[in-house]
Amino acid sequence: MPRPIEALIHVPALAHNLARARACAPDAMVWAVVKANAYGHGIANAYEGLRGADGFALLDLDEAQQLRACGWRGPILLLEGAFETRDLELCSRLKLWHAVHCEQQIDWLAMHKTHEPHRVFLKLNSGMNRLGFSATAFRAAWTRLNALPQVDEISLMTHFSDADARRFGADGIQHQLDAFEAVCADLPGERSLSNSAATLRHSSRVHSDWVRAGIMSYGGVPDYPEHGPAHWDLQPAMTLRSKIIAVQHLQAGDTVGYGSSFTAAKAMRIGTVACGYADGYPRHVPSGSPILVDGQRTTTVGRVSMDMLAVDLSALPAAGFNSEVTLWGQGPKGQVLPIDEVAKAAGTIGYELMCALAKRVPVTVHHLE
């Protein structure tokens, strides 16, 4: 019998979340962002739920090939563009669109031999200071691209660093939006500005021809804990679940796990769960972090080890050996433990937990009906 842990990928939730992106930006086209193997969900697993998008955005050429193998014939955007000259050959063969964020990528395009010109997304560094041309260099880059026979249409893009901030002001996206408009206002081409946070929070004030639905596609909330998934009507697309494989009875003064970091203050009943940091559950989740047992909330106890962790069953008399444990996602009777809540307890973000799901965890896909 296999170890009783599995990840469930909820295709209906993916489709629902994509529909939410469309509802938030009804006049825009939607990129379903599937970088990092669809945020740990698996590109092939997520494809059914996200194929209603107008295009897919990702980083790696092998991921683009996976999408084409799934049957996708629409736009695919390489968010970081080419990494070397020969990447452009595959872009031509797979009909990929790609970002251009530095002079070297323009040089490569100028040397590239192709029968069909490329669709490119010229990126402005509007304040993120990660990728993109500065405001002073952007127009010259556009002029160079526009003169190349290897380039067809030029779209314009930027990335917001603080779209999840509470105010649409200096600490949010306004300064970057102003920087973008100052440089690009009179340039032709479609715009792609909004990530998930901007799509959810600022669509009424930001014009994007293409929005990039990343974390929201998977039910993650970019502005958690200010808002939870219910506020934005998002559904978790991944559930990590296991079972209790042992029960221990503690007396006051007994300790639990490595380092004896937890000491029982009174008699307790605890369950040992077949899940640990080697499965992708965060090692640094402290005692008292949220977890579901048979759909009921309880807390973790002691340190997470490689293959196991402990949960408090003291207030759950019906729970015991073989009880279902929801580490995050959808419980057995419709309950939800948001991945962002678990991530917050671990001092990280839901993105990291999704992407950290270990290869040893079996994956089951719940398809559309």
Side-chain angles (χ1 to χ4, degrees):
M1 177 179 178
R3 186 163 166 261
I5 185 171
E6 67 175 335
L8 307 178
I9 306 303
H10 307 287
V11 171
L14 291 164
H16 171 88
N17 298 333
L18 182 65
R20 289 291 300 128
R22 288 203 183 282
C24 290
D27 297 325
M29 292 174 285
V30 178
W31 292 112
V33 182
V34 293
K35 62 181 180 176
N37 198 24
Y39 287 51
H41 293 66
I43 286 177
N45 299 331
Y47 177 69
E48 181 185 353
L50 298 177
R51 64 188 302 175
D54 298 290
F56 286 88
L58 40 71
L59 301 184
D60 298 330
L61 288 167
D62 63 339
E63 292 180 334
Q65 289 178 303
Q66 288 181 56
L67 272 174
R68 291 297 189 220
C70 287
W72 180 252
R73 296 293 174 260
I76 297 177
L77 173 65
L78 296 178
L79 289 166
E80 293 180 0
F83 297 104
E84 60 180 353
T85 308
R86 62 181 179 180
D87 290 348
L88 295 176
E89 298 173 9
L90 199 53
C91 288
S92 292
R93 194 181 322 144
L94 296 177
K95 301 185 184 303
L96 306 181
W97 302 358
H98 49 98
V100 172
H101 61 78
C102 63
E103 290 288 347
Q104 290 84 352
Q105 291 175 327
I106 302 179
D107 293 339
W108 296 339
L109 272 166
M111 295 184 294
H112 178 54
K113 296 179 180 179
T114 180
H115 297 294
E116 294 186 24
H118 289 217
R119 172 78 175 268
V120 300
F121 279 66
L122 183 61
K123 188 162 192 174
L124 172 71
N125 175 14
S126 60
M128 181 78 167
N129 290 314
R130 196 172 60 176
L131 296 178
F133 290 90
S134 67
T136 55
F138 189 85
R139 305 282 296 212
W142 186 92
T143 300
R144 279 196 69 195
L145 284 172
N146 193 49
L148 292 179
Q150 294 91 339
V151 174
D152 183 11
E153 186 174 346
I154 304 172
S155 298
L156 312 173
M157 70 184 301
T158 195
H159 191 73
F160 295 127
S161 59
D162 298 293
D164 56 348
R166 296 189 179 190
R167 292 194 297 114
F168 187 90
D171 60 343
I173 67 170
Q174 189 63 58
H175 65 295
Q176 288 188 257
L177 191 60
D178 290 344
F180 183 87
E181 289 301 321
V183 176
C184 301
D186 63 335
L187 290 177
E190 294 178 341
R191 270 75 166 149
S192 180
L193 285 80
S194 294
N195 54 8
S196 288
T199 300
L200 290 169
R201 297 178 66 105
H202 303 305
S203 282
S204 63
R205 303 182 67 173
V206 180
H207 171 68
S208 277
D209 297 293
W210 289 88
V211 298
R212 304 187 297 273
I215 193 66
M216 69 176 296
S217 296
Y218 308 97
V221 182
D223 60 354
Y224 187 87
E226 182 183 354
H227 296 118
H231 176 85
W232 297 118
D233 187 19
L234 298 174
Q235 298 176 4
M238 177 193 290
T239 294
L240 181 62
R241 71 182 184 184
S242 187
K243 290 186 177 181
I244 291 175
I245 58 173
V247 176
Q248 304 292 339
H249 296 269
L250 308 184
Q251 300 301 316
D254 287 346
T255 62
V256 178
Y258 287 118
S260 299
S261 63
F262 178 86
T263 302
K266 58 183 179 180
M268 296 179 65
R269 194 168 67 98
I270 65 169
T272 301
V273 182
C275 179
Y277 60 78
D279 300 299
Y281 191 83
R283 179 180 179 273
H284 297 293
V285 162
S287 292
S289 296
I291 200 164
L292 302 182
V293 176
D294 289 336
Q296 301 178 78
R297 277 185 170 253
T298 184
T299 58
T300 61
V301 177
R303 284 188 188 171
V304 176
S305 55
M306 181 181 288
D307 310 302
M308 290 171 279
L309 59 87
V311 295
D312 186 359
L313 302 179
S314 302
L316 305 176
F321 183 82
N322 213 39
S323 285
E324 182 172 326
V325 178
T326 305
L327 289 307
W328 61 68
Q330 300 184 22
K333 297 180 181 178
Q335 310 90 341
V336 172
L337 177 59
I339 194 171
D340 299 291
E341 186 177 348
V342 180
K344 184 175 185 293
T348 185
I349 55 177
Y351 302 68
E352 183 177 11
L353 301 194
M354 293 177 189
C355 295
L357 183 71
K359 290 184 178 179
R360 77 175 189 173
V361 177
V363 176
T364 300
V365 180
H366 285 178
H367 297 278
L368 289 166
E369 295 181 357

